[in-house]
Amino acid sequence: MLQTTTPHETAIPHAEGVSADEFRAALARLAAGVVLVTAHDAEHGPHGEDVGMTATAFLSVSLDPPLVMVSVRNDSRMDDLLERQPLWAVSVLSESQRHIAGRFAMKGRISDRLLFEDIPCESGEATGAPLVRGALAVLECRTEQRVEAGDHTLVIGRVLTAGAPSTESGPLTYFQGRYRRLA
């Protein structure tokens, strides 16, 4: 008997033989913008603590309503915080803010309080999350949906406020495992 499939049932072989190193090397060829995702953890200490995370997996999802998405590693401090705290912010980093990206991407880093110590920030009016001064753009968001995807969670947020301060600087990008400037 001849079996037919609809377009939705077409079998696509899974690349089971792809190693993590091969996958990482292939995706390193994709240039990405660099952002700092921040949130205020009111439950940490008497005055709370600001938390930050460098991300390159950040994108616009929808114009109406205005939605963005960030990919957060499961069981990270940011994942744990955004699971209980729906308000967060994003600062799109400029090429002159490479040191900020590197600082918040460190593994086994010191406390977030110390990481924010000498970075010029202001608290967002809608979220209370830190917004980096001098960033190319800043967004304040409220989580609309969380989608588990392998070892990461995709956090989709509704944009509550957006600003694009004037700047002469270009964007900070990440390509082939390094921060770079656009030429």
Side-chain angles (χ1 to χ4, degrees):
M1 170 180 261
L2 178 65
Q3 253 185 328
T4 60
T5 59
T6 67
H8 297 290
E9 296 173 357
T10 303
I12 299 173
H14 178 24
E16 293 174 359
V18 175
S19 72
D21 289 341
E22 290 168 327
F23 181 70
R24 192 175 295 113
L27 275 271
R29 303 291 198 262
L30 177 65
V34 182
V35 302
L36 182 67
V37 178
T38 58
H40 183 73
D41 185 356
E43 296 177 12
H44 191 272
H47 303 291
E49 182 176 49
D50 293 329
V51 177
M53 174 196 93
T54 301
T56 56
F58 173 79
L59 57 95
S60 168
V61 173
S62 169
L63 184 59
D64 186 18
L67 299 174
V68 294
M69 185 211 69
V70 64
S71 179
V72 180
R73 192 180 81 248
N74 292 345
D75 300 320
S76 65
R77 177 151 187 220
M78 186 61 75
D79 179 45
D80 294 343
L81 177 55
L82 293 184
E83 191 168 23
R84 60 184 164 79
Q85 160 59 287
L87 300 174
W88 46 283
V90 175
S91 297
V92 179
L93 299 179
S94 72
E95 60 192 6
S96 65
Q97 295 173 320
R98 174 183 280 181
H99 65 288
I100 296 171
R103 182 183 292 190
F104 284 90
M106 289 188 305
K107 291 183 180 165
R109 63 190 197 203
I110 57 176
S111 79
D112 283 64
R113 181 182 53 78
L114 295 175
L115 294 177
F116 277 105
E117 204 166 74
D118 62 347
I119 294 176
C121 292
E122 55 193 51
S123 293
E125 290 184 26
T127 62
L131 302 170
V132 177
R133 286 193 199 114
L136 297 180
V138 292
L139 306 164
E140 292 185 88
C141 306
R142 182 187 65 236
T143 299
E144 292 274 310
Q145 187 176 3
R146 293 173 54 88
V147 179
E148 289 188 24
D151 59 2
H152 278 65
T153 296
L154 308 177
V155 181
I156 299 170
R158 180 179 296 255
V159 178
L160 305 173
T161 68
S166 63
T167 180
E168 299 298 318
S169 187
L172 180 61
T173 60
Y174 192 74
F175 180 69
Q176 292 188 323
R178 294 186 11 214
Y179 297 115
R180 300 180 187 249
R181 296 175 179 211
L182 286 182

